Amino acid sequence: MDTAMASAGKQKKTVSLPAAIIIVIVFTIICIFSGYVVGYKYFWQKFDKTARVDREIFAYSSKVKQNPQDLDSLVKLAWLAYDKKEYELVIQSSNMVLTINPNEPNSHYVLGLTYFDQKKFDLAGKEFEVLIQNYPKNTLALLGLSKTYLALEQPEKAIAYLEQLINMDRTVVDGHLFLGKAYVKIGQKTKALEQLNEVLRFSPDNQEAKDWINSLNN
């Protein structure tokens, strides 16, 4: 009797066929769903955005061909082209706008960004300067011109515009960040640290500001 019970205790537990099928189905569903999530997050979203921008560029290009005076379509076309880094199309579309309306702000701004990306800093500066002349309180234009002066190794000019910027709006994180960099360039370590700490006040996780502070303190 004892031997029989011992033998029964040693018998291996088995999984029924229906249960095994259910396990396989559930595991397969989990794998498919995981693959879908990963694929959508890392591949499909990017592909879908690119396709959408391409469709919009085509649509606005068609509108411009039908009516070269369509300022709204030209401006949108320039921004879409900038999103795809098609700089020649940005320049062409923006210049068409400025031929019709020389003070159109979006066109000067996107041209400034385009020339800055191309490292044509003199041209970028001219676009931002025109924008500031017409819109002296435009924070984006002030920041763009300041970055351009820093790239041209003219930190004193950048400081003047950056101080104007943060006096208008102290919450502009990049204003404090670039002002800190400008002070570093002219050897004003204390003022640089003050501005970089202001960055962390409004953006505690700003790694670039942390790196600058660490380099200045070491």
Side-chain angles (χ1 to χ4, degrees), residues 174-194:
D174 281 346
H176 294 290
L177 180 62
F178 286 104
L179 186 53
K181 292 181 181 181
Y183 281 133
V184 170
K185 287 182 176 290
I186 63 172
Q188 296 283 346
K189 179 179 176 179
T190 301
K191 289 186 176 182
L193 286 170
E194 288 176 358

Side-chain angles (χ1 to χ4, degrees), residues 22-38:
I22 292 173
I23 292 172
V24 170
I25 291 173
V26 171
F27 180 76
T28 302
I29 291 172
I30 291 172
C31 290
I32 292 172
F33 180 75
S34 300
Y36 172 79
V37 170
V38 172

Side-chain angles (χ1 to χ4, degrees), residues 31-101:
C31 290
I32 292 172
F33 180 75
S34 300
Y36 172 79
V37 170
V38 172
Y40 179 78
K41 180 177 181 180
Y42 294 103
F43 301 105
W44 177 251
Q45 280 186 332
K46 183 176 180 180
F47 173 78
D48 185 57
K49 179 182 178 182
T50 301
R52 176 183 59 78
V53 172
D54 285 338
R55 290 194 299 269
E56 291 183 350
I57 286 177
F58 178 80
Y60 283 111
S61 295
S62 299
K63 289 184 177 182
V64 169
K65 286 181 181 179
Q66 294 174 0
N67 179 13
Q69 304 291 311
D70 186 347
L71 294 183
D72 185 59
S73 293
L74 284 166
V75 170
K76 289 178 179 177
L77 181 58
W79 277 110
L80 289 166
Y82 182 76
D83 191 38
K84 286 202 67 181
K85 307 305 178 188
E86 295 183 8
Y87 294 130
E88 292 305 315
L89 182 56
V90 177
I91 295 169
Q92 177 186 351
S93 302
S94 298
N95 283 332
M96 288 175 69
V97 173
L98 295 175
T99 299
I100 302 168
N101 180 5

